[in-house]
Amino acid sequence: MIARAKALLNTKSEFRKNIFVLLTGTGIAQAIPILISPILTRIYSPGDFGIFGLYSACAAILSVFATGRYDLSIIEPKKDTDARLLMLLSLYISVFFSCMLFLIVVLFNGPITNVLGDPRISIWLYSLPLTVFAVSCFSVFSYWMNRKKMYKEMSMNRVVSSVSISSFSLGLGFIKAISGGLIVGYILGQFFTVLLLRNRLLKTDYKLKWKRSLVIMKQYIHYPKYLIPATLAGEIAINLPIVLVTGYFNAVITGFFSFANKVTALPISFIGNAIGEVYRQKAAEEYANNGNCKALFLKTVRQLALLGILPFTVLFFFGEILFSFVFGPDWIIAGQIAKYLSFLIYFQLVSTPLALTITFNKSQKYDMMLQFFRGTFSILSMYLGYRYNDYMLSIKLYSLTFSLYYITHSFLQYRAARGVSV
């Protein structure tokens, strides 16, 4: 009995320690772009942020397909050999997808540019495959490190990524050497980080065992089967509105919208993300051993709910004043948008870090249904604002749609954490 109590105390201590490690690195990584934002908003225009928002939205949507979502399964296998195969498999799929994407861009650049609604995006479409590949590699390596409890390395890599992207963006903005400095800075920063991770994690030349890989692919087929459609619907819900705002209104409004989204999400979500990553590893262990992780889930929900109260209050009541003072008077519209986004960001903070709980009882199909609901109504939100020529109406409806989605998703997570079978 005493030994069991000591083990429980050690487990709790390790859980808190891992959270603290990730909090430190993630906090620094998130603080850097926040701290340099007042400089960026004075050397880049809302239109520059708009075209960057459009580019990053396209990259986020396309990244859903890049690994077949097998990167999410890396943490699940009991054997490291199987997990390593999933890691390599994800990287190979990413290479293939990026090559196919480049071919599509070369053949259909014109029509794609017309659909996106801004001719300035045309030249940057050719770099999309590189960005998608870099983002996918970062995700694959991160899940491997999460599996191996390499929290210090995860923390450090986020700092390196943030510093790299911020440094390149600032440098290119000051020297005015190239248009699209935000895009180029993002690409260079991502690749710099991925190269460091590659040298750190793939020191040995692992060979992909194709026969075993086919078995593994079949064993974890529920990840691409359910999570590609579900994640795609989620990314469309999050990023397609940015594309639609560009087409329905203009790139300047897109800049205000994407910037408000980014700045408000970063400071209040970094704690949630750090807690979520440690939670996923610990919850997977508890679920495998006990058939549920209800106690851990409820405890984490309470922590996240309390953490979100203060930032929500500040954003809702003082968003316009803060944005105008910190980023300059030209950005007061972004502050107005942030006020309405504060609702969805609060519920996102509570729900998103625990989202992978649904994989424990394989209830991804319900998640897929919710994602399609969110995607459909987020698009409808933008369309209604366009019909009434009121972009702020689009923002309000968008926030309402996302808030309802996150609340519903939390109940689905709780059901999975209790060990309820599908």
Side-chain angles (χ1 to χ4, degrees):
M1 189 71 179
I2 295 176
R4 184 178 179 183
K6 287 183 178 179
L8 182 61
L9 287 172
N10 289 334
T11 299
K12 289 182 177 180
S13 177
E14 182 185 7
F15 184 75
R16 293 192 185 99
K17 179 182 176 182
N18 292 335
I19 289 176
F20 178 76
V21 170
L22 281 176
L23 274 178
T24 302
T26 307
I28 296 171
Q30 301 283 26
I32 291 170
I34 295 294
L35 292 173
I36 69 167
S37 290
I39 304 175
L40 291 177
T41 54
R42 287 168 172 83
I43 60 178
Y44 292 105
S45 68
D48 292 327
F49 277 93
I51 200 68
F52 174 65
L54 180 61
Y55 178 87
S56 56
C58 293
I61 293 172
L62 292 169
S63 296
V64 172
F65 302 97
T67 63
R69 295 286 80 183
Y70 279 108
D71 54 327
L72 300 178
S73 67
I74 291 172
I75 198 172
E76 187 174 334
K78 293 183 178 180
K79 296 180 179 179
D80 275 354
T81 52
D82 288 345
R84 190 178 294 114
L85 276 178
L86 286 168
M87 178 176 68
L88 295 175
L89 185 65
S90 299
L91 294 174
Y92 272 86
I93 294 173
S94 181
V95 171
F96 175 78
F97 178 80
S98 298
C99 291
M100 293 299 99
L101 180 59
F102 181 74
L103 181 61
I104 292 172
V105 169
V106 170
L107 295 176
F108 303 103
N109 184 285
I112 295 172
T113 300
N114 292 334
V115 170
L116 295 177
D118 194 319
R120 292 179 300 168
I121 197 66
S122 177
I123 188 66
W124 300 113
L125 291 177
Y126 295 104
S127 66
L128 261 179
L130 292 175
T131 302
V132 170
F133 177 69
V135 170
S136 301
C137 289
F138 188 86
S139 177
V140 171
F141 292 143
S142 294
Y143 278 106
W144 174 259
M145 288 187 292
N146 195 357
R147 174 186 176 83
K148 303 300 291 183
K149 301 182 181 180
M150 299 167 64
Y151 296 116
K152 289 183 180 179
E153 288 83 355
M154 290 175 68
S155 184
M156 180 59 66
N157 287 320
R158 287 176 185 176
V159 174
V160 170
S161 178
S162 182
V163 170
S164 302
I165 293 172
S166 299
S167 299
F168 284 121
S169 298
L170 278 175
L172 291 169
F174 277 124
I175 65 177
K176 303 289 184 182
I178 187 173
S179 62
L182 290 170
I183 295 176
V184 177
Y186 180 73
I187 296 171
L188 293 177
Q190 285 281 2
F191 260 96
F192 179 75
T193 309
V194 167
L195 287 175
L196 291 179
L197 286 172
R198 191 267 178 197
N199 293 333
R200 170 73 175 84
L201 300 176
L202 295 179
K203 291 181 178 179
T204 305
D205 292 328
Y206 298 114
K207 292 184 178 180
L208 194 65
K209 300 176 182 179
W210 289 105
K211 289 185 178 180
R212 180 58 184 165
S213 295
L214 292 175
V215 174
I216 289 292
M217 288 178 68
K218 185 176 180 180
Q219 182 178 351
Y220 294 96
I221 193 66
H222 54 281
Y223 279 87
K225 183 178 180 181
Y226 293 115
L227 290 184
I228 285 182
T231 309
L232 178 62
E235 291 297 337
I236 287 175
I238 294 170
N239 294 288
L240 187 58
I242 295 176
V243 178
L244 294 177
V245 167
T246 305
Y248 287 159
F249 303 105
N250 54 62
V252 174
I253 299 300
T254 302
F256 289 136
F257 177 47
S258 60
F259 184 74
N261 237 329
K262 176 182 177 181
V263 171
T264 53
L266 283 177
I268 68 171
S269 66
F270 84 90
I271 295 177
N273 290 337
I275 292 175
E277 281 170 337
V278 179
Y279 163 83
R280 284 193 291 270
Q281 193 279 328
K282 181 60 182 172
E285 287 185 358
E286 286 197 8
Y287 201 94
N289 295 330
N290 307 321
N292 75 85
C293 57
K294 177 182 174 181
L296 179 63
F297 176 85
L298 292 175
K299 176 185 176 182
T300 311
V301 165
R302 286 193 293 268
Q303 291 175 339
L304 292 168
L306 289 173
L307 286 169
I309 292 175
L310 179 59
F312 164 78
T313 303
V314 171
L315 277 176
F316 184 76
F317 290 104
F318 307 105
E320 296 174 47
I321 298 173
L322 283 174
F323 271 70
S324 180
F325 175 75
V326 176
F327 306 114
D330 292 340
W331 293 86
I332 191 171
I333 294 177
Q336 295 171 356
I337 292 173
K339 173 181 179 179
Y340 297 110
L341 293 181
S342 62
F343 291 94
L344 80 85
I345 290 170
Y346 175 80
F347 292 113
Q348 180 184 25
L349 174 65
V350 176
S351 176
T352 301
L354 313 179
L356 286 184
T357 307
I358 63 168
T359 63
F360 297 155
N361 71 340
K362 295 181 173 58
S363 57
Q364 291 97 322
K365 61 182 179 182
Y366 298 112
D367 174 58
M368 183 171 61
M369 294 168 61
L370 284 177
Q371 296 283 12
F372 279 114
F373 159 81
R374 179 171 66 161
T376 301
F377 280 89
S378 65
I379 294 171
L380 182 61
S381 299
M382 295 298 140
Y383 177 72
L384 288 174
Y386 166 70
R387 285 296 302 270
Y388 288 96
N389 195 28
D390 184 354
Y391 67 87
M392 203 60 77
L393 174 62
S394 292
I395 303 301
K396 293 174 183 177
L397 293 174
Y398 174 84
S399 182
L400 175 62
T401 295
F402 271 61
S403 297
L404 292 174
Y405 163 78
Y406 288 123
I407 292 170
T408 307
H409 204 278
S410 292
F411 284 106
L412 186 63
Q413 296 162 12
Y414 176 65
R415 183 175 181 272
R418 288 171 52 208
V420 177
S421 58
V422 178

